[in-house]
Amino acid sequence: MSAPPRTVILTGAGVSADSGVATFRDPQGVWAQYDHREVATPQGFAANPRLVHEFYNARRRGLPEVAPNLAHEAIARFQAEAAARGGSAILVTQNVDDLHERAGSEQVWHMHGELAKARCDGPEPGTPGCGAIHPWTDDLGLETACPACGATGGMRPHVVWFGEMPMLMEEIEAALAAADCFVSIGTSGSVYPAAGFVHAARAMGVKCVELNLEPSENAYAFDDGRYGRASDVVPAWVREVLGDS
Ligand SMILES: [Zn+2]
């Protein structure tokens, strides 16, 4: 069996969990320790920007301490092989870490943004801020100046907070409409709009495959499912579809 010519892959926390990245929604996850309304909403940032910066600075500092795992590497290999065979494999991720990039994936659509980027938004609507997005490895703070316009006080993590629209939604919908296969990897199926991708894909006749630790809340909507740790089931699935088991 050859690789499907046009694949859209969606990844979630389950892919990074095998690298030791703390998940957000599990009982032991980040949102069990922090109130997401305080650290991951526009209102929380307006009320206490220092707390929000501290929260994301700690996560950004943790990025070099984790490494891509076999699932990230298998996805990067699948993308490269799909392209080599004349197809495509678009990688959409809900993860804000940079592990897909570090595993060799060249194009990653971060629908929830990226810890390794900062954005100049202005401290409040209508105040100075140029909207520039910058690669970012240092801490962010109220005193941080935008490298593009020089404004201070408006730099924020380039991540999507609760109550904000995910990024690249039009591009993702178009990619799903043009796809032959949709593969959901390591996502709970409970967070919209990503949880709706399988329904959109299915309605358009796209084959849908789920690779997850256990059947997700949407498992019934998939044509096929493989269950286990991402670092096991993803490499196995990639070997199978590439025909090199
Ligand atoms: Zn700026």
Side-chain angles (χ1 to χ4, degrees), residues 120-121 129-132 134 146-151 155:
C120 172
D121 254 8
C130 69
H134 306 282
C146 170
C149 72
M155 294 295 285

Side-chain angles (χ1 to χ4, degrees), residues 152-244:
T152 55
M155 294 295 285
R156 60 164 279 181
H158 186 51
V159 298
V160 175
W161 285 328
F162 290 86
E164 295 182 324
M165 275 294 290
M167 299 168 184
L168 299 162
M169 289 304 296
E170 285 183 22
E171 289 86 347
I172 295 167
E173 283 170 24
L176 284 173
D180 304 293
C181 184
F182 170 65
V183 188
S184 175
I185 306 176
T187 80
S188 64
S190 62
V191 182
Y192 283 82
F197 292 170
V198 62
H199 303 291
R202 189 183 168 87
M204 294 182 286
V206 179
K207 185 188 178 192
C208 298
V209 179
E210 169 168 85
L211 311 176
N212 202 29
L213 190 58
E214 53 195 25
S216 71
E217 291 178 24
N218 281 328
Y220 66 90
F222 289 88
D223 300 292
D224 197 3
R226 309 292 163 80
Y227 300 104
R229 296 171 65 90
S231 52
D232 293 328
V233 296
V234 178
W237 178 80
V238 168
R239 284 195 297 272
E240 180 188 324
V241 295
L242 294 180
D244 63 358

Side-chain angles (χ1 to χ4, degrees), residues 71-91:
H72 296 101
E73 291 169 7
I75 291 166
R77 188 169 82 86
F78 178 80
Q79 285 188 286
E81 191 61 29
R85 297 182 187 190
S88 65
I90 290 169
L91 175 56

